[in-house]
């Protein structure tokens, strides 16, 4: 499901500077009291030619933010607006992060190194610009798990503890601080286009469209570049929504400033993996209306992409922007099938059979309350493997129908990896997240986190 990162030489390319200063503000990182390296992602560092730097140099670059050779001379806080829970907010932007560097991977793809918790910027408003250490640990767990499950996600590149005592209203305080660096395929959000439309700056929107097509999608702008870009974003975000469902993942805050125009998931705050197929399951305690609940994520992301189209109306006719938006439901349906089938290790058969199997799966999961990870683990490779604690659930009529249909589908995945002989699937539910953090908070014991990351990557190899 996931292509492993491939080693590549360091190829700096601060392409965003070609846009000019209308899109960002130069800023400086906070001067932290201390910098203690807690996590470095060497396999992704190798993909951008940075795995060979020692820990001291790593801290200089990703804790003190000394510029990388040939890269951005100073950090850039990106400018954007956005809808937050459907309310437009023109007073946001990079308030506790910045773009630190850009480089190419082995395929020539432009990647960003951006931060979270690196200090105040012109957009911090009343925030302190910091990240709790717990928030950094949670982002490691989210990104590692999603990557292993085939979701197009940012990668947690570095986590450094910074020695400050932070006050937060949603966790015991004072709490420890950190600065996180993430590797992303762009940090350009839908909200960047919304901001430019707010100021009616058509020329700046055109430049950003051109940048997105050339640098992020690797295509030449055509006769209608804004329609071209919207079509690509619709396709990528439909796949993202579908992959969330197959992973059993709830992002929690799918505001338009949290939707990357490359369709890459990023910025993990109140995320959760739902244990069971519960459409109304929410991740954020403040999502009282369930706007971003598990079963409403496709609708939420589609709504955000509509806001991109609204912004593009500054330079394009509304009628021309409608067909790409109308394609979202069908693209999502196909991507949902593909994502579920990839996790099961089977290939599509025909539209009618595919739909019937998906309906039987959802019916079985909802009626029996079988955990999502258990289900996909037990049925990997197109047949039920066992014995399993869920066997009584699988004997019920809903799952019996699923099992009968499944046998007709082509099998395309191997189950020879030793992971498939484990007694339990690798999961990431809230109790385990809290237990991992408790060992760090109480005893500064990072062994549970290290073990979990290793277990997740082992699952990713098996997938």
């Amino acid at each position: 499901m996931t292509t492993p990162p491939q080693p590549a030489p360091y190829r700096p390319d601060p392409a965003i500077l070609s846009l000019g200063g209308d899109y960002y503000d130069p800023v400086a990182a906070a001067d932290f009291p201390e910098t203690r390296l807690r996590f470095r992602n060497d396999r992704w560092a190798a993909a951008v030619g940075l795995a060979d730097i020692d820990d001291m140099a790593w801290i200089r670059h990703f804790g003190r933010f000394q510029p990388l050779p040939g890269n951005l001379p100073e950090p850039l806080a990106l400018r954007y607006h956005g809808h937050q829970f459907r309310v437009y907010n023109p007073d946001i932007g990079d308030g506790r992060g910045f773009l630190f560097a850009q480089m190419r991977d082995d395929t020539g793809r432009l990647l960003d190194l951006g931060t979270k918790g690196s200090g105040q910027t012109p957009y911090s408003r009343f925030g302190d610009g910091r990240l709790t250490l717990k928030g950094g640990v949670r982002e490691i767990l989210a990104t590692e798990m999603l990557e292993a499950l085939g979701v197009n996600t940012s990668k947690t590149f570095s986590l450094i503890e910074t020695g400050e005592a932070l006050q937060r209203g949603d966790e015991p305080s004072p709490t420890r601080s950190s600065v996180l660096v993430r590797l992303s395929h762009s940090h350009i959000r839908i909200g960047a286009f919304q901001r430019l439309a707010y100021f009616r700056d058509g020329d700046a929107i055109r430049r950003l469209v051109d940048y997105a097509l050339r640098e992020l999608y690797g295509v030449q702008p055509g006769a209608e570049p804004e329609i071209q870009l919207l079509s690509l974003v619709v396709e990528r975000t439909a796949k993202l929504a579908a992959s969330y469902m197959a992973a059993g993942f709830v992002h929690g805050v799918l505001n338009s400033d949290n939707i990357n125009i490359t369709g890459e998931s990023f910025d993990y705050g109140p995320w959760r993996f739902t244990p069971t197929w519960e459409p109304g399951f929410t991740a954020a305690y403040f999502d009282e209306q369930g706007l971003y609940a598990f079963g409403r994520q496709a609708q939420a992301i589609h709504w955000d992409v509509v806001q991109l189209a609204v912004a593009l109306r500054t330079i394009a006719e509304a009628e021309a922007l409608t067909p790409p938006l109308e394609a979202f439901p069908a693209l999502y349906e196909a991507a949902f099938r593909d994502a579920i089938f990839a996790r099961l290790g089977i290939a599509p058969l025909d539209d009618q059979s595919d739909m019937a199997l998906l309906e039987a799966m959802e019916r079985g999961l909802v009626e029996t309350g079988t955990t999502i990870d258990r289900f996909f683990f037990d049925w990997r490779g197109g047949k039920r493997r066992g014995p399993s604690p869920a066997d009584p659930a699988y004997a019920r009529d809903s799952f019996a129908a699923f099992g009968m249909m499944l046998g007709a589908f082509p099998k395309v995945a191997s189950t020879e990896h030793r992971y498939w002989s484990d007694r339990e699937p690798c999961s990431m539910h809230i109790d385990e997240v809290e237990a991992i953090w408790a060992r760090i908070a109480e005893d500064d014991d990072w062994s549970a986190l290290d073990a979990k990351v290793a277990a997740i990557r082992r699952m990713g190899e098996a997938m």
Side-chain angles (χ1 to χ4, degrees), residues 222-254:
E224 297 180 303
E226 60 280 351
I227 311 303
Q228 191 179 2
L229 177 62
L230 181 63
S231 299
L232 291 167
V233 174
V234 165
E235 181 181 1
R236 290 281 187 89
T237 54
K239 288 181 179 179
L240 174 63
S243 68
Y244 279 169
M245 299 301 290
F249 181 73
V250 185
H251 183 282
V253 189
L254 293 173

Side-chain angles (χ1 to χ4, degrees), residues 121-456:
T121 77
Y123 311 104
S124 299
R125 293 179 289 170
F126 302 107
D128 61 13
R130 305 303 201 263
L131 172 68
T132 67
L133 184 61
K134 182 179 183 180
V137 168
R138 282 174 49 84
E139 185 138 343
I140 292 170
L141 292 171
T143 54
E144 289 285 338
M145 191 70 176
L146 290 173
E147 180 185 359
L149 291 173
V151 175
N152 182 18
T153 178
S154 64
K155 315 302 186 294
T156 302
F157 195 78
S158 171
L159 183 68
I160 291 175
E161 188 170 0
T162 54
E164 295 178 304
L166 303 180
Q167 296 292 329
R168 292 292 185 268
D170 56 355
E171 62 180 279
S173 296
T175 188
R176 293 153 72 177
S177 61
S178 68
V179 62
L180 179 144
V181 177
R182 65 166 68 98
L183 182 69
S184 293
H185 182 35
S186 170
H187 282 77
I188 303 296
R189 311 155 190 250
I190 287 175
F193 291 86
Q194 291 182 278
R195 174 186 170 274
L196 297 172
Y198 181 87
F199 292 114
R200 303 180 186 275
D201 194 340
D203 289 340
I205 292 178
R206 290 186 182 92
R207 291 198 300 273
L208 192 56
V209 168
D210 185 84
Y211 174 87
L213 289 171
R214 293 180 187 275
E215 302 294 351
L216 306 182
Y217 281 96
V219 299
Q220 292 298 315
E224 297 180 303
E226 60 280 351
I227 311 303
Q228 191 179 2
L229 177 62
L230 181 63
S231 299
L232 291 167
V233 174
V234 165
E235 181 181 1
R236 290 281 187 89
T237 54
K239 288 181 179 179
L240 174 63
S243 68
Y244 279 169
M245 299 301 290
F249 181 73
V250 185
H251 183 282
V253 189
L254 293 173
N255 296 327
S256 62
D257 60 296
N258 279 342
I259 304 298
N260 187 328
I261 60 162
T262 62
E264 180 185 74
S265 179
F266 76 114
D267 201 11
Y268 301 100
W271 63 269
R272 295 277 189 93
F273 283 89
T274 175
T276 60
W277 199 273
E278 184 182 346
F281 182 92
T282 57
Y285 69 88
F286 46 83
D287 188 6
E288 297 175 352
Q289 305 302 315
L291 183 64
Y292 300 143
F294 176 57
R296 298 182 69 181
Q297 293 182 112
Q299 176 186 343
I301 291 173
H302 189 194
W303 191 92
D304 289 328
V305 176
V306 170
Q307 306 319 305
L308 173 61
V310 171
L312 292 174
R313 285 177 60 183
T314 307
I315 60 173
E317 295 296 327
E319 292 78 7
L321 295 163
T322 300
L325 294 175
E326 292 178 337
F328 187 98
L331 289 169
Y332 169 76
E333 183 177 303
F336 177 73
R337 178 205 63 196
D338 291 345
I340 294 292
F341 283 19
R343 197 164 180 190
L344 286 169
I346 60 174
L349 193 60
D350 58 69
D351 289 346
Q352 184 175 355
S353 300
D354 296 349
M355 184 60 67
L357 186 73
L358 292 172
E359 290 174 351
M361 178 200 75
E362 291 192 60
R363 187 164 56 250
L365 286 169
V366 171
E367 290 180 4
T368 67
T370 303
T371 60
I372 293 172
D373 297 318
R374 176 90 255 172
F375 164 76
F376 283 113
F377 185 79
D378 290 345
W379 293 90
R380 175 73 174 184
K383 63 180 180 180
R384 179 154 65 95
R385 300 176 304 107
S388 165
D391 283 344
Y394 299 149
R396 292 174 58 174
D397 289 346
S398 53
F399 266 130
F402 171 82
M404 289 180 62
M405 284 186 274
L406 185 63
F409 285 78
K411 284 66 174 174
V412 295
S414 169
T415 55
E416 294 179 359
H417 193 282
R418 292 182 63 184
Y419 169 75
W420 302 111
S421 299
D422 291 354
R423 295 183 62 183
E424 298 291 332
C426 182
S427 299
M428 183 56 67
H429 298 147
I430 190 61
D431 290 347
E432 185 172 8
V433 175
E434 293 296 333
I436 290 170
W437 168 246
R439 290 177 62 172
I440 295 170
E442 295 167 10
D443 302 315
D444 205 32
D445 180 357
W446 293 76
S447 62
L449 176 66
D450 295 339
K452 190 62 182 182
V453 170
I456 293 169

